[in-house]
Amino acid sequence: DEFSSLAQAQQAENPWSLAIEAYGRGWLYSIERDTSNHHGGTHRAVVGPIPTQSGRLYGMMAMSAHFLPGQYSVIHTHPGPEAWWVLEGEQCLETTRTTIRAAAAQGAIVAEGDTMRMVGTGNGPRKALVLILHDADKPGGFTLDAAIPLRRCR
């Protein structure tokens, strides 16, 4: 959900959500079954369901990401599922099994443990909001996997 400021998004936070500031606005990432409650913000997207394990406690890492066409991330793996919502532009995610494309107003998810590389595609900048879940009792982040062959976005 989108808010005009980070302070407004933070006021709406609860134990199942996380507020961040990105692209001049406040954003509230929420992990919940009821997607009709927008917590006082403007509804922008539902990405999911995100594959989680029942009874497992998760921590959330949230960020914004800006790629130009042709830019790519390092090859890596996260300790939990990762979800994106593309605000502007296009992206292609290369994994060991497939490629996952998403354009503006679309979401994408990669499962826990999938090795991946993000590629900026299209004709203009790609701006996205990203959420990574991980075990609550372990640090988030990523592991580099440079030698793993991936499906190409071409």
Side-chain angles (χ1 to χ4, degrees):
D1 297 313
E2 180 182 357
F3 295 81
S4 59
S5 70
L6 175 60
Q8 288 179 332
Q10 287 172 325
Q11 288 177 347
E13 274 184 311
N14 63 47
W16 303 276
S17 63
L18 181 63
I20 71 162
E21 184 173 35
Y23 309 114
R25 294 168 279 195
W27 299 92
L28 187 67
Y29 295 85
S30 298
I31 305 294
E32 56 197 354
R33 285 191 168 90
D34 178 9
T35 59
S36 65
N37 181 355
H38 306 302
H39 311 283
T42 301
H43 177 66
R44 292 297 298 264
V46 172
V47 180
I50 298 172
T52 58
Q53 296 174 14
S54 180
R56 182 175 172 191
L57 293 177
Y58 288 94
M60 292 191 283
M61 276 181 36
M63 64 186 94
S64 61
H66 185 173
F67 276 66
L68 296 175
Q71 284 186 316
Y72 54 90
S73 71
V74 296
I75 298 172
H76 63 283
T77 304
H78 291 288
E82 181 174 3
W84 300 264
W85 186 59
V86 181
L87 291 160
E88 178 181 316
E90 299 174 14
Q91 70 180 38
C92 182
L93 183 73
E94 300 174 341
T95 75
T96 55
R97 294 177 289 126
T98 190
T99 59
I100 303 167
R101 295 183 180 275
Q106 293 180 324
I109 297 173
V110 66
E112 176 178 350
D114 276 358
T115 300
M116 68 189 93
R117 174 171 55 193
M118 180 62 62
V119 179
T121 57
N123 298 317
R126 170 265 198 182
K127 294 179 180 178
L129 300 174
V130 183
L131 177 68
I132 302 166
L133 299 181
H134 60 88
D135 281 326
D137 60 344
K138 296 179 183 175
F142 62 92
T143 303
L144 296 178
D145 290 324
I148 304 293
L150 302 173
R151 301 285 179 159
R152 296 292 189 189
C153 286
R154 303 187 200 323

